[in-house]
Amino acid sequence: MSSRDKYRSEIFILLKLFEHGLKTFHLKKPNFSKKKYNEYIKQIPKKYHKRIIIHHYFSLCFKYKLKGFHHNSKNPPGKYFKLFSAILLPNLYQTISAHSHQQFSTFSKGSYKYILTGPLYPRRKNRINNKFKNIDHFNNVHNKEKIIFYGGIEQYHINELMKFKPNGILIMRTIWYNDAQPLDIFLSIKKELTKKHPQ
């Protein structure tokens, strides 16, 4: 996922991440205007637009043929956007976030490509959030194939994380707010995941 505040320096790094295999990028800039979102996407080569999921200003999905949009509780997609996107962009991904087991029951099955779930590792803590302690219960109750974990994930968490058998992981702070080079961190985590899931 994007940082909340970086701009030009982030785009340069993002292109390197795409070149080295980043499959999906969540663009979330709560303080950006639509104009700023537009300027951001314009700087990304068209070949990578199909890897971008946007969290605000969903109409940009039509302009740039993006990968999808993330349901935002503070700014949900309007009914006309949903209607026209279903007609004009039928393969558009729809994603959403859940922060507890209970929230999953409120989502319609099949409506979302995947659900972002977290935070798995609360900030400044090196242990799994108590909400996710019961791994077996979590895996039995929810559709594992639709779950992507996020929140405080570092390279050394991968072994423990794989117990959840996630469909993927989302990383933000570890990439953008770290002393190490973002590309090095990305490649290191990618290498660990490849060891666990060679396919």
Short mmCIF file of all heavy atoms in Angstrom, two decimals, residues 16-54:
data_model
loop_
_atom_site.label_atom_id
_atom_site.label_comp_id
_atom_site.label_asym_id
_atom_site.label_seq_id
_atom_site.Cartn_x
_atom_site.Cartn_y
_atom_site.Cartn_z
N LYS A 16 10.03 0.72 -9.40
CA LYS A 16 11.01 -0.34 -9.17
C LYS A 16 10.31 -1.58 -8.59
O LYS A 16 10.64 -2.72 -8.96
CB LYS A 16 12.09 0.14 -8.19
CG LYS A 16 12.99 1.23 -8.73
CD LYS A 16 13.84 0.73 -9.89
CE LYS A 16 14.78 1.80 -10.39
NZ LYS A 16 15.55 1.34 -11.59
N LEU A 17 9.35 -1.37 -7.70
CA LEU A 17 8.62 -2.50 -7.12
C LEU A 17 7.81 -3.23 -8.20
O LEU A 17 7.78 -4.47 -8.22
CB LEU A 17 7.69 -2.00 -6.00
CG LEU A 17 8.36 -1.33 -4.79
CD1 LEU A 17 7.30 -0.93 -3.77
CD2 LEU A 17 9.40 -2.23 -4.15
N PHE A 18 7.16 -2.47 -9.07
CA PHE A 18 6.42 -3.10 -10.18
C PHE A 18 7.37 -3.92 -11.06
O PHE A 18 7.06 -5.05 -11.44
CB PHE A 18 5.73 -2.03 -11.03
CG PHE A 18 4.43 -1.52 -10.48
CD1 PHE A 18 4.10 -0.18 -10.58
CD2 PHE A 18 3.51 -2.38 -9.88
CE1 PHE A 18 2.89 0.30 -10.09
CE2 PHE A 18 2.30 -1.91 -9.38
CZ PHE A 18 1.99 -0.56 -9.48
N GLU A 19 8.52 -3.34 -11.37
CA GLU A 19 9.49 -4.02 -12.22
C GLU A 19 9.96 -5.34 -11.60
O GLU A 19 10.30 -6.29 -12.32
CB GLU A 19 10.71 -3.12 -12.46
CG GLU A 19 10.45 -1.94 -13.36
CD GLU A 19 11.62 -0.96 -13.38
OE1 GLU A 19 12.70 -1.32 -12.84
OE2 GLU A 19 11.47 0.15 -13.92
N HIS A 20 9.97 -5.40 -10.27
CA HIS A 20 10.46 -6.59 -9.58
C HIS A 20 9.32 -7.49 -9.07
O HIS A 20 9.54 -8.30 -8.17
CB HIS A 20 11.38 -6.19 -8.43
CG HIS A 20 12.72 -5.69 -8.90
ND1 HIS A 20 12.94 -4.40 -9.30
CD2 HIS A 20 13.92 -6.34 -9.05
CE1 HIS A 20 14.19 -4.25 -9.67
NE2 HIS A 20 14.81 -5.41 -9.53
N GLY A 21 8.14 -7.32 -9.63
CA GLY A 21 7.10 -8.30 -9.39
C GLY A 21 5.94 -7.92 -8.49
O GLY A 21 5.12 -8.79 -8.14
N LEU A 22 5.81 -6.65 -8.09
CA LEU A 22 4.66 -6.25 -7.28
C LEU A 22 3.39 -6.43 -8.11
O LEU A 22 3.25 -5.83 -9.18
CB LEU A 22 4.79 -4.79 -6.84
CG LEU A 22 3.63 -4.24 -6.00
CD1 LEU A 22 3.54 -4.96 -4.66
CD2 LEU A 22 3.79 -2.74 -5.78
N LYS A 23 2.46 -7.24 -7.63
CA LYS A 23 1.27 -7.58 -8.41
C LYS A 23 0.12 -6.61 -8.20
O LYS A 23 -0.67 -6.36 -9.11
CB LYS A 23 0.80 -8.99 -8.05
CG LYS A 23 1.78 -10.08 -8.46
CD LYS A 23 1.26 -11.46 -8.09
CE LYS A 23 2.23 -12.55 -8.50
NZ LYS A 23 1.75 -13.89 -8.10
N THR A 24 0.00 -6.09 -6.97
CA THR A 24 -1.13 -5.20 -6.66
C THR A 24 -0.65 -4.07 -5.75
O THR A 24 0.06 -4.31 -4.77
CB THR A 24 -2.26 -5.96 -5.95
OG1 THR A 24 -2.68 -7.05 -6.78
CG2 THR A 24 -3.46 -5.05 -5.70
N PHE A 25 -1.05 -2.86 -6.09
CA PHE A 25 -0.69 -1.68 -5.31
C PHE A 25 -1.96 -0.95 -4.89
O PHE A 25 -2.77 -0.56 -5.72
CB PHE A 25 0.18 -0.75 -6.16
CG PHE A 25 0.55 0.55 -5.50
CD1 PHE A 25 1.38 0.57 -4.39
CD2 PHE A 25 0.07 1.76 -6.00
CE1 PHE A 25 1.74 1.77 -3.78
CE2 PHE A 25 0.42 2.96 -5.39
CZ PHE A 25 1.25 2.96 -4.28
N HIS A 26 -2.15 -0.81 -3.57
CA HIS A 26 -3.29 -0.06 -3.06
C HIS A 26 -2.89 1.41 -2.92
O HIS A 26 -1.97 1.73 -2.15
CB HIS A 26 -3.73 -0.61 -1.70
CG HIS A 26 -4.61 -1.82 -1.81
ND1 HIS A 26 -5.97 -1.77 -1.55
CD2 HIS A 26 -4.34 -3.09 -2.16
CE1 HIS A 26 -6.49 -2.97 -1.73
NE2 HIS A 26 -5.52 -3.79 -2.11
N LEU A 27 -3.57 2.26 -3.66
CA LEU A 27 -3.29 3.70 -3.61
C LEU A 27 -4.25 4.35 -2.62
O LEU A 27 -5.44 4.51 -2.90
CB LEU A 27 -3.44 4.32 -5.00
CG LEU A 27 -3.24 5.83 -5.11
CD1 LEU A 27 -1.91 6.25 -4.52
CD2 LEU A 27 -3.35 6.27 -6.57
N LYS A 28 -3.73 4.71 -1.45
CA LYS A 28 -4.54 5.32 -0.40
C LYS A 28 -3.83 6.57 0.11
O LYS A 28 -2.82 6.50 0.81
CB LYS A 28 -4.76 4.33 0.75
CG LYS A 28 -5.63 4.88 1.86
CD LYS A 28 -5.80 3.87 2.98
CE LYS A 28 -6.67 4.41 4.09
NZ LYS A 28 -6.82 3.44 5.21
N LYS A 29 -4.38 7.72 -0.24
CA LYS A 29 -3.83 9.02 0.18
C LYS A 29 -4.98 9.85 0.73
O LYS A 29 -5.60 10.65 0.01
CB LYS A 29 -3.21 9.73 -1.03
CG LYS A 29 -2.08 8.99 -1.73
CD LYS A 29 -0.78 9.09 -0.97
CE LYS A 29 0.39 8.51 -1.77
NZ LYS A 29 1.65 8.55 -1.02
N PRO A 30 -5.31 9.68 2.00
CA PRO A 30 -6.49 10.35 2.59
C PRO A 30 -6.51 11.86 2.44
O PRO A 30 -7.58 12.46 2.37
CB PRO A 30 -6.41 9.95 4.07
CG PRO A 30 -5.58 8.73 4.09
CD PRO A 30 -4.61 8.86 2.98
N ASN A 31 -5.33 12.48 2.38
CA ASN A 31 -5.28 13.94 2.33
C ASN A 31 -5.07 14.49 0.91
O ASN A 31 -4.92 15.70 0.74
CB ASN A 31 -4.16 14.45 3.25
CG ASN A 31 -4.41 14.06 4.69
OD1 ASN A 31 -5.54 14.11 5.18
ND2 ASN A 31 -3.36 13.63 5.38
N PHE A 32 -5.06 13.61 -0.07
CA PHE A 32 -4.87 14.04 -1.45
C PHE A 32 -6.21 14.46 -2.07
O PHE A 32 -7.23 13.83 -1.85
CB PHE A 32 -4.26 12.92 -2.30
CG PHE A 32 -2.76 12.89 -2.29
CD1 PHE A 32 -2.03 13.36 -1.22
CD2 PHE A 32 -2.07 12.35 -3.37
CE1 PHE A 32 -0.64 13.31 -1.21
CE2 PHE A 32 -0.68 12.29 -3.39
CZ PHE A 32 0.03 12.78 -2.31
N SER A 33 -6.16 15.49 -2.88
CA SER A 33 -7.33 15.89 -3.68
C SER A 33 -7.42 14.97 -4.89
O SER A 33 -6.47 14.21 -5.20
CB SER A 33 -7.17 17.33 -4.15
OG SER A 33 -6.05 17.42 -5.03
N LYS A 34 -8.53 15.06 -5.60
CA LYS A 34 -8.67 14.26 -6.82
C LYS A 34 -7.61 14.65 -7.84
O LYS A 34 -7.06 13.81 -8.55
CB LYS A 34 -10.06 14.44 -7.42
CG LYS A 34 -10.33 13.55 -8.62
CD LYS A 34 -11.75 13.66 -9.10
CE LYS A 34 -12.01 12.71 -10.26
NZ LYS A 34 -13.42 12.78 -10.73
N LYS A 35 -7.29 15.95 -7.89
CA LYS A 35 -6.26 16.42 -8.82
C LYS A 35 -4.92 15.78 -8.51
O LYS A 35 -4.19 15.36 -9.42
CB LYS A 35 -6.15 17.95 -8.72
CG LYS A 35 -5.11 18.55 -9.66
CD LYS A 35 -5.04 20.06 -9.52
CE LYS A 35 -3.96 20.63 -10.43
NZ LYS A 35 -3.86 22.12 -10.28
N LYS A 36 -4.59 15.68 -7.22
CA LYS A 36 -3.31 15.09 -6.82
C LYS A 36 -3.29 13.58 -7.13
O LYS A 36 -2.27 13.03 -7.54
CB LYS A 36 -3.10 15.33 -5.33
CG LYS A 36 -1.64 15.29 -4.89
CD LYS A 36 -1.07 16.70 -4.84
CE LYS A 36 0.39 16.62 -4.42
NZ LYS A 36 0.65 17.25 -3.13
N TYR A 37 -4.42 12.91 -6.90
CA TYR A 37 -4.52 11.49 -7.27
C TYR A 37 -4.27 11.34 -8.76
O TYR A 37 -3.56 10.43 -9.21
CB TYR A 37 -5.92 10.96 -6.94
CG TYR A 37 -6.02 10.16 -5.67
CD1 TYR A 37 -6.14 10.78 -4.43
CD2 TYR A 37 -6.02 8.77 -5.70
CE1 TYR A 37 -6.25 10.05 -3.26
CE2 TYR A 37 -6.14 8.03 -4.54
CZ TYR A 37 -6.26 8.67 -3.33
OH TYR A 37 -6.36 7.94 -2.17
N ASN A 38 -4.90 12.20 -9.53
CA ASN A 38 -4.78 12.15 -10.98
C ASN A 38 -3.33 12.34 -11.41
O ASN A 38 -2.82 11.59 -12.26
CB ASN A 38 -5.67 13.23 -11.58
CG ASN A 38 -5.84 13.08 -13.08
OD1 ASN A 38 -6.29 12.05 -13.58
ND2 ASN A 38 -5.45 14.10 -13.82
N GLU A 39 -2.65 13.32 -10.81
CA GLU A 39 -1.25 13.58 -11.14
C GLU A 39 -0.36 12.38 -10.78
O GLU A 39 0.59 12.06 -11.50
CB GLU A 39 -0.77 14.82 -10.39
CG GLU A 39 -1.39 16.12 -10.89
CD GLU A 39 -1.03 17.31 -10.03
OE1 GLU A 39 -0.37 17.09 -8.97
OE2 GLU A 39 -1.40 18.44 -10.39
N TYR A 40 -0.69 11.76 -9.67
CA TYR A 40 0.08 10.59 -9.21
C TYR A 40 -0.02 9.46 -10.23
O TYR A 40 0.99 8.90 -10.68
CB TYR A 40 -0.48 10.15 -7.86
CG TYR A 40 0.31 9.08 -7.14
CD1 TYR A 40 1.08 9.40 -6.02
CD2 TYR A 40 0.29 7.74 -7.54
CE1 TYR A 40 1.79 8.43 -5.32
CE2 TYR A 40 1.00 6.77 -6.87
CZ TYR A 40 1.75 7.11 -5.77
OH TYR A 40 2.45 6.13 -5.10
N ILE A 41 -1.24 9.12 -10.63
CA ILE A 41 -1.45 7.99 -11.55
C ILE A 41 -0.86 8.30 -12.92
O ILE A 41 -0.32 7.40 -13.59
CB ILE A 41 -2.95 7.65 -11.65
CG1 ILE A 41 -3.48 7.21 -10.28
CG2 ILE A 41 -3.18 6.53 -12.67
CD1 ILE A 41 -4.98 7.03 -10.22
N LYS A 42 -0.95 9.55 -13.36
CA LYS A 42 -0.43 9.93 -14.67
C LYS A 42 1.07 9.65 -14.80
O LYS A 42 1.57 9.42 -15.90
CB LYS A 42 -0.70 11.42 -14.93
CG LYS A 42 -2.08 11.72 -15.45
CD LYS A 42 -2.31 13.21 -15.58
CE LYS A 42 -1.46 13.83 -16.67
NZ LYS A 42 -1.79 15.27 -16.87
N GLN A 43 1.77 9.65 -13.70
CA GLN A 43 3.22 9.42 -13.73
C GLN A 43 3.58 7.94 -13.77
O GLN A 43 4.75 7.59 -13.90
CB GLN A 43 3.87 10.08 -12.52
CG GLN A 43 3.76 11.59 -12.55
CD GLN A 43 4.47 12.23 -11.37
OE1 GLN A 43 5.70 12.23 -11.29
NE2 GLN A 43 3.69 12.76 -10.45
N ILE A 44 2.59 7.09 -13.67
CA ILE A 44 2.82 5.64 -13.71
C ILE A 44 2.53 5.13 -15.11
O ILE A 44 1.46 5.40 -15.66
CB ILE A 44 1.92 4.93 -12.68
CG1 ILE A 44 2.24 5.43 -11.26
CG2 ILE A 44 2.08 3.42 -12.77
CD1 ILE A 44 1.28 4.94 -10.21
N PRO A 45 3.45 4.41 -15.73
CA PRO A 45 3.21 3.88 -17.08
C PRO A 45 1.90 3.10 -17.18
O PRO A 45 1.51 2.39 -16.25
CB PRO A 45 4.42 2.98 -17.32
CG PRO A 45 5.50 3.57 -16.46
CD PRO A 45 4.78 4.05 -15.23
N LYS A 46 1.25 3.24 -18.30
CA LYS A 46 -0.05 2.61 -18.53
C LYS A 46 -0.04 1.11 -18.28
O LYS A 46 -1.02 0.53 -17.80
CB LYS A 46 -0.48 2.90 -19.97
CG LYS A 46 -1.90 2.46 -20.30
CD LYS A 46 -2.26 2.89 -21.72
CE LYS A 46 -3.67 2.45 -22.07
NZ LYS A 46 -4.04 2.86 -23.46
N LYS A 47 1.09 0.45 -18.57
CA LYS A 47 1.17 -1.00 -18.42
C LYS A 47 0.99 -1.45 -16.97
O LYS A 47 0.71 -2.63 -16.71
CB LYS A 47 2.49 -1.53 -18.98
CG LYS A 47 3.73 -1.04 -18.24
CD LYS A 47 5.00 -1.59 -18.89
CE LYS A 47 6.25 -1.09 -18.20
NZ LYS A 47 7.49 -1.64 -18.82
N TYR A 48 1.16 -0.52 -16.01
CA TYR A 48 1.02 -0.88 -14.60
C TYR A 48 -0.33 -0.47 -14.01
O TYR A 48 -0.60 -0.77 -12.85
CB TYR A 48 2.14 -0.23 -13.78
CG TYR A 48 3.52 -0.72 -14.12
CD1 TYR A 48 4.57 0.18 -14.35
CD2 TYR A 48 3.80 -2.09 -14.20
CE1 TYR A 48 5.85 -0.27 -14.64
CE2 TYR A 48 5.08 -2.54 -14.51
CZ TYR A 48 6.09 -1.63 -14.73
OH TYR A 48 7.36 -2.08 -15.02
N HIS A 49 -1.16 0.21 -14.78
CA HIS A 49 -2.44 0.67 -14.24
C HIS A 49 -3.32 -0.49 -13.79
O HIS A 49 -4.09 -0.36 -12.83
CB HIS A 49 -3.18 1.51 -15.29
CG HIS A 49 -2.54 2.84 -15.53
ND1 HIS A 49 -2.98 3.73 -16.49
CD2 HIS A 49 -1.48 3.45 -14.92
CE1 HIS A 49 -2.22 4.82 -16.47
NE2 HIS A 49 -1.30 4.67 -15.53
N LYS A 50 -3.20 -1.62 -14.45
CA LYS A 50 -4.01 -2.80 -14.10
C LYS A 50 -3.56 -3.44 -12.79
O LYS A 50 -4.11 -4.46 -12.37
CB LYS A 50 -3.94 -3.83 -15.23
CG LYS A 50 -4.82 -3.51 -16.43
CD LYS A 50 -6.29 -3.63 -16.06
CE LYS A 50 -7.18 -3.46 -17.29
NZ LYS A 50 -8.61 -3.51 -16.93
N ARG A 51 -2.58 -2.86 -12.14
CA ARG A 51 -2.13 -3.37 -10.84
C ARG A 51 -2.52 -2.43 -9.69
O ARG A 51 -2.14 -2.67 -8.55
CB ARG A 51 -0.61 -3.55 -10.84
CG ARG A 51 -0.08 -4.48 -11.94
CD ARG A 51 1.38 -4.77 -11.71
NE ARG A 51 2.03 -5.32 -12.91
CZ ARG A 51 3.29 -5.71 -12.97
NH1 ARG A 51 4.06 -5.60 -11.89
NH2 ARG A 51 3.82 -6.18 -14.08
N ILE A 52 -3.26 -1.37 -10.00
CA ILE A 52 -3.57 -0.36 -9.00
C ILE A 52 -5.02 -0.47 -8.51
O ILE A 52 -5.96 -0.49 -9.32
CB ILE A 52 -3.34 1.05 -9.56
CG1 ILE A 52 -1.87 1.24 -9.96
CG2 ILE A 52 -3.75 2.11 -8.53
CD1 ILE A 52 -1.59 2.54 -10.70
N ILE A 53 -5.18 -0.53 -7.19
CA ILE A 53 -6.50 -0.47 -6.56
C ILE A 53 -6.57 0.85 -5.81
O ILE A 53 -5.70 1.17 -5.01
CB ILE A 53 -6.73 -1.66 -5.61
CG1 ILE A 53 -6.89 -2.94 -6.45
CG2 ILE A 53 -7.95 -1.45 -4.74
CD1 ILE A 53 -7.12 -4.19 -5.64
N ILE A 54 -7.62 1.61 -6.09
CA ILE A 54 -7.72 2.96 -5.56
C ILE A 54 -8.68 3.02 -4.37
O ILE A 54 -9.68 2.29 -4.33
CB ILE A 54 -8.16 3.92 -6.69
CG1 ILE A 54 -7.82 5.36 -6.39
CG2 ILE A 54 -9.62 3.73 -7.03
CD1 ILE A 54 -7.92 6.28 -7.59
#
